[in-house]
């Protein structure tokens, strides 16, 4: 067994003060940084995903439904697209081995729809390193964390979501997401922060 940690979208726009804020996002950013900084951690590799929108079409809306469409967020080059300052040190210090960019021209909730700077898909990157198991953390439990975990299972990985390191948008959608994850065979550990 070789385990990797997938950190989902810990970006300014998804934390308090951002354009699509998730309550508890900043706290999760700091906790995740602490998690990846542990010298005795169980991870062979750590990957961070990042919303990276150029023109995602109907994903941006002036009248969003907050399921498929959202206010403008994480536009390439914007301050809101940057990693949260409580998480960015984990990236710059080298604790994060790779960054996967997603959603340039689509919604792309799942990191498995994204690519590294050299164009490698997340699944291919992980399989090239003999990863078998994934822990998934980040923002938001009921959207992009759920999508990444489900796609991880579909790609053949054993997946666990560490809920102590996630933040959900709303209680009802988070409960629904957790039920969907359980049905798909995703292991759940801890309790999520929920608005």
């Amino acid at each position: 067994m070789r385990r990797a940690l997938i950190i989902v979208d810990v970006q300014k726009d998804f934390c308090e003060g951002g354009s699509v804020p998730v309550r508890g996002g900043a706290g999760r950013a700091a906790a995740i940084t602490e998690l990846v900084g542990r010298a005795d951690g169980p991870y062979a590799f750590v990957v961070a995903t990042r919303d990276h929108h150029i023109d995602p079409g109907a994903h941006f809306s002036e009248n969003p439904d907050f399921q498929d469409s959202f206010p403008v967020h994480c536009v390439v080059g914007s301050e809101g697209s940057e990693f949260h300052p409580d998480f960015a040190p984990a990236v710059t210090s080298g604790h994060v081995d790779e960054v996967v960019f997603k959603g340039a021209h689509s919604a792309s909730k799942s990191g498995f729809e994204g690519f590294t700077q050299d164009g490698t898909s997340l699944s291919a990157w992980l399989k090239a390193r003999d990863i078998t198991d994934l822990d998934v953390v980040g923002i938001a439990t009921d959207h992009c964390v759920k999508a990444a975990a489900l796609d991880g299972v579909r790609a053949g990985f054993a997946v666990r979501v560490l809920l102590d390191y996630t933040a959900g948008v709303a209680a009802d959608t988070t409960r629904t997401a957790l039920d969907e994850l359980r049905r798909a065979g995703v292991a759940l550990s801890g309790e999520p922060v929920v608005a």
Side-chain angles (χ1 to χ4, degrees):
M1 178 185 79
R2 278 169 65 84
R3 185 178 297 275
L5 178 66
I6 308 299
I7 302 166
V8 177
D9 302 355
V10 183
Q11 294 168 264
K12 290 182 179 180
D13 270 346
F14 297 134
C15 295
E16 294 85 346
S19 63
V20 190
V22 178
R23 184 174 157 265
R28 298 307 89 205
I32 290 167
T33 297
E34 183 180 319
L35 175 67
V36 299
R38 293 180 190 157
D40 61 345
Y43 302 109
F45 294 98
V46 176
V47 178
T49 70
R50 186 171 170 176
D51 254 16
H52 193 70
H53 295 311
I54 297 171
D55 181 11
H59 185 55
F60 285 172
S61 174
E62 292 181 10
N63 300 296
D65 63 13
F66 293 96
Q67 287 299 314
D68 297 312
S69 61
F70 294 84
V72 173
H73 62 275
C74 297
V75 173
V76 172
S78 70
E79 183 177 347
S81 73
E82 299 299 321
F83 287 121
H84 188 275
D86 288 341
F87 173 64
V91 180
T92 57
S93 67
H95 290 298
V96 173
D97 299 294
E98 188 60 81
V99 176
V100 170
F101 299 88
K102 62 190 179 70
H105 299 284
S106 65
S108 293
K109 287 187 177 183
S110 169
F112 283 88
E113 299 174 87
F115 300 91
T116 64
Q117 286 278 34
D118 70 3
T120 304
S121 72
L122 176 56
S123 183
W125 193 92
L126 294 166
K127 288 179 179 178
R129 288 154 180 82
D130 299 319
I131 296 299
T132 58
D133 292 58
L134 303 177
D135 282 353
V136 182
V137 300
I139 308 169
T141 315
D142 37 352
H143 291 283
C144 296
V145 169
K146 177 187 83 169
L150 292 174
D151 278 354
V153 169
R154 291 183 194 110
F157 298 98
V159 180
R160 177 174 63 179
V161 174
L162 304 181
L163 296 172
D164 291 337
Y165 299 92
T166 71
V169 173
D172 58 342
T173 54
T174 297
R175 280 192 299 271
T176 300
L178 298 183
D179 288 343
E180 189 175 348
L181 290 168
R182 285 187 195 97
R183 287 194 303 272
V186 174
L188 303 175
S189 171
E191 296 293 329
V193 170
V194 180

